């Protein structure tokens, strides 16, 4: 019994350390494209990692989120106390988002419209208010940030955390259920490769052209991904588009050239938000429609079977019903008159 209990504790510790390692690694990747004080980025992948880990491994891995957040911020914070408070906010935000989503019956398959809307409003928009408010407030109170810069920092922090939920969490949900498609023919593979290449090329073209209206050249590819591949195609495409757009904004290329940080953030997050919402909502609506269609077909098949059992058909219909009726009785011959 003691060995079994030690094994369980060891397995839980490994999960916590794995979550901390992935959180820290994703934080280092996110910090490569910082916009405010070498700390606030337009896309913060750790929030998406943390929320996905809570749904996959359970609430017990929250210490891994806290440890990863502390390691990611310890070299950035103005003081140890500030780092601890920021770590608290980075931990509370995904945990609260997880609890709210679980309360409303959220499903990680994202095959219902209500699940996508819950992820947007409860997971991304509402849940990430905690981390952005605590983090920005701590930076102002510690003197690392001017009071006039609070709202600009808060907006970047909030939208960065929210985008982590919208583009990273669905992608991780897809990876968890990914299986090698055994029945996919060559045409399906060619279509998938064409979709991936088209999405990347369209995004590169749109983010290297000064005209911001060309950013929406990627919309047809997102629609294509959602219609043909559902969430498995929509989530990776949305993530790729968001990353390429962030790289262009950080390098001040294309529609992000010559603008200040606030203007770049408005354009970038409007584009990324539209991309994520288009991909997720379309994928959910189409999946829900397909499931409804399949349910209707099953109901119709069961109904037809019930009707057949209630009213059995005649044994044979080789001859028309009139040919099987009994002939009329013969009348006696008439007698001649005397």
């Amino acid at each position: 019994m003691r060995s079994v209990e030690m094994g369980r504790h060891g397995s839980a510790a490994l999960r916590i350390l794995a979550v901390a390692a992935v959180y820290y690694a994703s934080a280092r990747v996110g910090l490569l494209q910082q916009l405010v004080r070498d700390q606030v980025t337009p896309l913060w992948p750790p929030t998406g990692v943390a929320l996905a880990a809570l749904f996959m491994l359970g609430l017990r891995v929250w210490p891994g989120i806290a440890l990863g957040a502390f390691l990611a911020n310890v070299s950035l914070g103005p003081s140890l106390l500030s780092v601890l408070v920021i770590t608290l906010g980075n931990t509370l935000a995904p945990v609260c988002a997880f609890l709210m989503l679980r309360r409303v019956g959220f499903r990680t398959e994202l095959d219902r419209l209500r699940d996508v809307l819950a992820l947007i409003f409860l997971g991304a928009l509402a849940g990430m208010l905690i981390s952005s408010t605590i983090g920005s407030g701590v930076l102002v109170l510690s003197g690392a940030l001017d009071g006039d810069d609070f709202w600009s920092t808060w907006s970047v922090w909030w939208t960065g955390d929210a985008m982590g939920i919208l583009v990273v969490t669905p992608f991780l949900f897809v990876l968890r259920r990914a299986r090698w498609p055994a029945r996919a023919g060559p045409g399906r593979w060619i279509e998938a490769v064409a979709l991936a290449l088209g999405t990347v090329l369209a995004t590169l073209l749109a983010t290297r052209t000064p005209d911001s209206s060309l950013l929406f050249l990627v919309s047809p590819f997102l629609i294509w991904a959602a219609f043909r591949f559902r969430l498995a195609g929509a989530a990776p495409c949305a993530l790729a588009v968001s990353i390429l757009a962030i790289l262009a904004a950080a390098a001040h290329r294309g529609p992000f050239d010559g603008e200040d940080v606030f203007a770049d953030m408005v354009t970038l997050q409007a584009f990324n938000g539209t991309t994520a919402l288009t991909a997720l909502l379309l994928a959910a609506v189409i999946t829900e429609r397909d499931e409804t269609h399949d349910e209707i077909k099953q109901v119709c098949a069961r109904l037809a079977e019930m009707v057949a059992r209630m009213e059995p058909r005649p044994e044979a219909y080789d001859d028309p019903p009139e040919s099987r009726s009994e002939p009329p009785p013969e009348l006696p011959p008439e007698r001649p008159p005397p």
Side-chain angles (χ1 to χ4, degrees), residues 127-286:
M128 298 305 109
L129 291 173
I130 300 173
S131 56
S132 59
T133 303
I134 293 177
S136 302
V138 167
L139 293 179
V140 171
L141 293 176
S142 64
L145 196 68
D146 294 334
D148 296 336
D149 296 331
F150 172 82
W151 287 112
S152 60
T153 303
W154 180 90
S155 63
V156 176
W157 198 312
W158 178 55
T159 53
D161 285 1
M163 288 307 304
I165 297 293
L166 292 180
V167 301
V168 176
T169 300
F171 177 72
L172 294 177
F173 287 158
V174 169
L175 280 183
R176 182 191 183 188
R177 300 188 306 273
R179 299 292 185 274
W180 188 263
R183 299 183 179 180
R188 191 69 165 171
W189 285 108
I190 293 174
E191 183 182 5
V193 172
L195 172 63
L197 292 177
T199 302
V200 172
L201 292 177
T203 307
L204 290 175
L205 175 63
T207 54
R208 281 160 175 75
T209 305
D211 189 1
S212 60
S213 62
L214 294 180
L215 287 173
F216 297 95
L217 283 175
V218 302
S219 296
F221 294 92
L222 296 174
I223 297 172
W224 179 9
F227 266 94
R228 295 291 294 158
F229 298 93
R230 309 303 186 262
L231 185 66
C237 285
L239 178 61
V241 169
S242 298
I243 291 175
L244 293 176
I246 291 171
L247 293 176
H252 300 285
R253 293 195 301 261
F256 309 104
D257 185 18
E259 301 290 342
D260 57 12
V261 173
F262 183 76
D264 283 347
M265 279 299 303
V266 171
T267 303
L268 176 64
Q269 300 299 52
F271 172 69
N272 285 344
T274 303
T275 297
L277 294 180
T278 300
L280 295 179
L281 290 173
L282 269 179
V285 169
I286 295 168

Side-chain angles (χ1 to χ4, degrees), residues 314 316-327:
Y317 284 102
D318 296 335
D319 299 325
E322 291 79 8
S323 63
R324 298 197 307 271
S325 59
E326 296 181 358

Side-chain angles (χ1 to χ4, degrees), residues 71-89:
L71 294 176
N73 288 286
V74 69
S75 61
L76 305 173
S79 64
L80 181 59
L81 179 60
S82 299
V83 170
L84 291 175
V85 178
I86 292 174
T87 299
L88 176 64

